[in-house]
Amino acid sequence: MSRSENHAHPAAPPDGEEPVLDVASRLTDDHHQSLKLWLRMLSCTMRIENEIRSRLRTTFGITLPRFDLMAQLERYPQGLRMGELSRRMMVTGGNITGITDQLEQEKLVLRVPDPKDGRAYSVKLTPAGRRAFASMAAVHEQWIAELLQDMSSADKGQLIDLLSQMKRHLNASDEK
């Protein structure tokens, strides 16, 4: 008997003992399919992210986290507090502080006292930061379109719908 055949059909346990099931035997087909889906989504996301990260560094000399922070601020011209940036970007406050310090030194963002809490600060894009982000964002969008160009519009629409449904389900699970 070959080694793989031996693992595929383990010997029966001694009388009175329960068989020990490995992880693969405990999983249903749905478990396997769910895991495969998650790994496929993760793999695609990582490949796109790595390509964008590389292009941002090469073309604009900026890191993806710095670009992401600027993207958050572009959506909120009145600025965002550090804690809100941290929550939105799902990183620690220390990371946000470091990124903000770098962007502030380059005069792309500025800290302003929060009008609701004099002890806190909001971060805003400067006019130079807005211009820099606008040009990077336009190129970034072209890169994404290029990376996904082999997918039909109908397939993209269907995938957006399915992922939106998944997101709603996950959000509903969080609220329980």
Side-chain angles (χ1 to χ4, degrees), residues 18-126:
E18 290 294 315
V20 177
L21 300 177
D22 62 7
V23 173
S25 355
R26 291 191 309 256
L27 297 178
T28 65
D29 286 341
D30 184 55
H31 285 124
H32 179 73
Q33 189 177 34
S34 295
L35 182 59
K36 186 175 181 177
L37 171 62
W38 178 72
L39 291 172
R40 185 68 44 92
M41 289 188 315
L42 185 60
S43 173
C44 290
T45 299
M46 289 177 64
R47 291 195 62 180
I48 292 169
E49 184 177 311
N50 287 339
E51 183 63 25
I52 295 300
R53 186 182 304 275
S54 174
R55 290 182 185 195
L56 283 170
R57 185 175 303 274
T58 301
T59 306
F60 297 108
I62 193 167
T63 64
L64 184 56
R66 290 171 63 195
F67 178 85
D68 288 344
L69 187 139
M70 291 176 77
Q72 289 297 322
L73 295 177
E74 194 273 334
R75 291 182 194 107
Y76 295 90
Q78 76 281 7
L80 290 170
R81 290 176 63 171
M82 301 289 268
E84 181 64 15
L85 280 166
S86 176
R87 187 185 68 73
R88 288 174 179 277
M89 293 178 61
M90 296 182 281
V91 297
T92 67
N95 286 345
I96 295 300
T97 299
I99 296 167
T100 300
D101 289 346
Q102 293 168 0
L103 291 170
E104 192 173 38
Q105 287 173 1
E106 295 173 28
K107 308 228 183 296
L108 297 174
V109 303
L110 67 119
R111 289 177 171 98
V112 295
D114 190 300
K116 297 175 189 163
D117 182 353
R119 301 165 298 163
Y121 288 90
S122 288
V123 181
K124 298 170 76 167
L125 285 173
T126 63

Side-chain angles (χ1 to χ4, degrees), residues 1-12 20-25:
M1 181 180 291
S2 76
R3 183 177 173 93
S4 62
E5 289 172 321
N6 187 32
H7 288 289
H9 304 286
V20 177
L21 300 177
D22 62 7
V23 173
S25 355

